[in-house]
Amino acid sequence: MLISSIELREIRLPLIHFFETSFGRTTERRIVLVRVVDEDGMDGWGECTAAENPFYSDEWTESAWYTLREFLAPMVVGASAQASEIFALMRSVRGHRMAKAAIETACWDLEAKRAGAPLWKYLGGVQDEIPCGVSIGIQDTPEILLEKIGRELLAGYQRIKIKIKPGWDRNIIQRVRKQFPDIKLMGDANSAYTLGDAPLFRELDQFELMMFEQPLAHSDIFDHAELQRQIRTPICLDESIRSAEDARHAISLGSCRIINVKLGRVGGHAEAKRVEQVCREHDITVWSGGMLESGIGRAHNIAMATLAGFRLPGDVSASERYWEQDIIEPPVTVTLRGTIIAPKEPGLGFRVNLDRINSLCVRQELVGKQASTLAGSQT
Ligand code: OSB
Ligand code: MG
């Protein structure tokens, strides 16, 4: 397919409830959306998962916007390529994987639509129903956290992930375990600890968590290997895994037994498939992470999570947990057994609500030959 133009939009989307991790609190998302259009006027949508600040990774909304506008979009516009080749077109830009993934995933949506196939099948997915968990941020009080966990379990979610940080760890996990002795429970530290905290993690082994997610530094795989040797609970890497090579290195060092795959963090669907394959070859379980995505990113995560290696419940949950109104129709819903059914329509399988997007849009940009063809806009 020939990519004739790329549209960028930034939308502001307030979260129903703030989301707090060891690195800070988010109340409103600033999301960059990408629409790629081909020579026949068909389109595909992608979402940049960079956050509002460079605290989870070094990318953030502003860096993604300018990198997309100045470098990445111009490298792809005018190219005739398959979705699997898009990442390579942008290889002279180092890093900026979330920005790259926004374009790359949009191209997969477009290509699947052109093929008349649901994206998940087009990617090689094999599961038409995926298990779902929830990620629950740090709360103002332990009581609020316990109440929220109870509510999510009632809704059917199969696994609870809580965010932990120094001062919100041992006591919290102990209280959650006391009230919910048998649930699938895990803790995500977002790099809040050091190897010096190994005694704490040894103590936490008693609570039989499914895994500790990214306890140590965001770029580390060496100290994680040492920590994993000292504890029984599996370590799951998130921030540290940016490519299939990272996954291979971490696995061979023994730095983790589980990997959280995020489309943005690894640079798109093609690389996510490579990570999944490396993990499957080494008997390492993967699951789909989330980045507080709007419906577009969420739909891409659903497609990825249908690949064979995704065996554990992911952080992919219903639109209504995050947004008053999503930007796709229908919104993502979760069954009472805590699953999402993969869509049947071609591409992402959800309708993109352009009116809603334009009403949330604070800036837009067109990279392409034809000026003034921004869909649904007057500029
Ligand atoms: O570490 O998985 C993470 C959200 C923002 C940044 C990092 C993370 C998260 C989540 C939320 O845990 C997952 C979601 O519900 O989208
Ligand atoms: Mg994480």
Side-chain angles (χ1 to χ4, degrees):
M1 59 194 175
L2 196 151
I3 305 299
S4 55
S5 64
I6 295 182
E7 300 168 9
L8 309 177
R9 287 179 179 76
E10 181 190 331
I11 59 165
R12 304 275 165 106
L13 203 52
L15 285 158
I16 286 179
H17 187 271
F18 70 79
F19 190 81
E20 186 171 325
T21 66
S22 61
F23 55 75
R25 187 179 278 200
T26 308
T27 54
E28 184 184 60
R29 296 296 332 281
R30 292 178 60 194
I31 299 172
V32 179
L33 298 175
V34 168
R35 177 172 178 253
V36 297
V37 182
D38 72 7
E39 55 191 322
D40 304 318
M42 291 187 73
D43 66 356
W45 286 86
E47 170 168 344
C48 180
T49 62
E52 295 66 43
N53 42 48
F55 300 162
Y56 166 82
S57 79
D58 42 12
E59 292 186 81
W60 62 299
T61 311
E62 292 285 337
S63 75
W65 181 267
Y66 290 104
T67 309
L68 279 160
R69 191 184 80 177
E70 300 295 320
F71 299 101
L72 301 175
M75 286 170 180
V76 175
V77 166
S80 186
Q82 295 186 323
S84 60
E85 300 163 337
I86 297 293
F87 188 76
L89 292 177
M90 303 182 282
R91 85 185 129 214
S92 54
V93 171
R94 293 182 179 175
H96 297 279
R97 286 173 182 266
M98 292 175 174
K100 290 175 180 174
I103 292 180
E104 199 257 15
T105 55
C107 291
W108 280 100
D109 175 31
L110 168 58
E111 194 168 284
K113 268 191 219 162
R114 288 184 63 100
L119 176 61
W120 66 275
K121 284 196 178 161
Y122 194 73
L123 288 166
V126 294
Q127 312 181 64
D128 57 10
E129 186 170 351
I130 59 167
C132 304
V134 289
S135 175
I136 306 181
I138 293 164
Q139 305 297 321
D140 287 335
T141 66
E143 290 73 26
I144 298 175
L145 176 66
L146 292 168
E147 195 266 321
K148 288 200 171 217
I149 293 174
R151 213 172 334 131
E152 303 294 10
L153 291 168
L154 267 180
Y157 287 104
Q158 298 185 18
R159 177 228 66 188
I160 301 291
K161 160 165 140 185
I162 62 172
K163 292 291 189 176
I164 57 172
K165 67 172 182 182
W168 184 272
D169 45 27
R170 184 192 295 100
N171 296 344
I172 298 299
I173 293 171
Q174 189 170 25
R175 284 189 64 172
V176 173
R177 256 301 174 235
K178 194 159 167 235
Q179 188 157 339
F180 305 100
D182 302 319
I183 61 169
K184 284 187 185 161
L185 181 66
M186 58 175 289
D188 185 358
N190 289 108
S191 304
Y193 298 90
T194 67
L195 196 49
D197 295 307
L200 168 71
F201 287 98
R202 277 201 299 275
E203 199 188 326
L204 294 177
D205 265 343
Q206 66 180 298
F207 297 113
E208 304 289 340
L209 300 193
M210 293 174 83
M211 65 194 93
F212 299 126
E213 183 174 339
Q214 197 72 31
L216 309 181
H218 68 94
S219 56
D220 170 82
I221 54 171
F222 193 83
D223 285 350
H224 278 101
E226 178 54 34
L227 180 61
Q228 183 67 90
R229 276 191 286 278
Q230 296 188 29
I231 62 177
R232 252 191 319 117
T233 308
I235 288 175
C236 169
L237 289 177
D238 172 354
E239 283 89 329
S240 296
I241 306 298
R242 292 151 306 175
S243 65
E245 282 62 50
D246 285 349
R248 195 162 48 75
H249 298 162
I251 293 166
S252 84
L253 270 178
S255 319
C256 62
R257 297 197 197 125
I258 300 172
I259 287 177
N260 161 337
V261 187
K262 288 182 180 166
L263 275 174
R265 204 192 59 226
V266 304
H269 281 299
E271 193 63 19
K273 272 158 66 88
R274 281 189 211 105
V275 174
E276 183 256 1
Q277 195 186 335
V278 165
C279 290
R280 205 149 28 84
E281 285 165 6
H282 291 85
D283 255 331
I284 295 285
T285 311
V286 301
W287 54 276
S288 167
M291 291 290 290
L292 310 176
E293 288 92 345
S294 78
I296 291 174
R298 203 163 289 277
H300 277 291
N301 289 344
I302 293 169
M304 173 183 76
T306 66
L307 297 172
F310 287 75
R311 296 248 133 257
L312 291 170
D315 281 345
V316 188
S317 50
S319 299
E320 62 169 21
R321 292 190 64 246
Y322 305 82
W323 323 117
E324 209 79 68
Q325 188 194 344
D326 207 333
I327 61 170
I328 55 164
E329 282 165 350
V332 173
T333 55
V334 169
T335 67
L336 287 171
R337 52 184 182 277
T339 62
I340 292 173
I341 314 271
K344 293 179 178 53
E345 289 73 33
L348 281 181
F350 295 83
R351 260 171 296 109
V352 172
N353 185 342
L354 195 56
D355 289 339
R356 170 102 177 118
I357 289 173
N358 284 333
S359 76
L360 299 164
C361 186
V362 293
R363 56 176 162 173
Q364 51 189 28
E365 198 82 51
L366 172 70
V367 180
K369 280 154 234 144
Q370 325 96 295
S372 72
T373 54
L374 259 170
S377 80
Q378 294 90 326
T379 45

